[in-house]
């Protein structure tokens, strides 16, 4: 899994029928110090993440491990919304601090 920040949404009126109803998000990956990387990816969202939230992203075959999604054409999926990240006893992200 990787850490990413939700930067936006992706809307597609014409898509593979099996993707109907799937929410797509534009994500920017975050490094181990909490800094944004210049890498973006579109991911399916299963948890209702919103703009500016930090999330965990499952990629590749692991993104299709959710029941009834084994055959979907998905390479990345948001699987969790992050509340806090602590590294070496130092918090690099706290969701409640984001809104202060």
């Amino acid at each position: 899994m990787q850490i990413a920040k939700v930067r936006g949404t992706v809307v597609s009126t014409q898509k593979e029928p099996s993707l109907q109803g799937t929410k797509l998000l534009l994500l920017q990956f975050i490094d181990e110090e909490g800094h944004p990387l210049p890498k973006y990816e579109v991911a399916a969202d299963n948890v209702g993440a919103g703009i500016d939230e930090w999330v965990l992203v499952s990629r590749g075959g692991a993104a299709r491990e959710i029941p009834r999604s084994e055959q979907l054409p998905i390479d990345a999926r948001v699987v969790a919304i992050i509340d806090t990240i602590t590294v070496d006893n130092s918090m690099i992200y706290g969701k409640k601090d984001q809104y202060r």
Side-chain angles (χ1 to χ4, degrees), residues 25-82:
L25 298 175
L26 179 64
L27 307 176
Q28 183 176 18
F29 290 102
I30 304 291
D31 71 13
E32 66 279 357
E33 295 175 349
H35 301 112
L37 297 168
K39 183 176 180 185
Y40 291 80
E41 187 159 357
V42 174
D45 177 31
N46 272 56
V47 296
I51 304 296
D52 290 334
E53 287 190 297
W54 285 31
V55 297
L56 283 179
V57 183
S58 184
R59 299 172 74 205
R64 292 181 293 279
E65 289 295 318
I66 294 175
R68 296 178 306 281
S69 67
E70 298 87 357
Q71 302 300 316
L72 294 179
I74 293 174
D75 291 330
R77 183 184 303 269
V78 174
V79 295
I81 299 171
I82 296 171

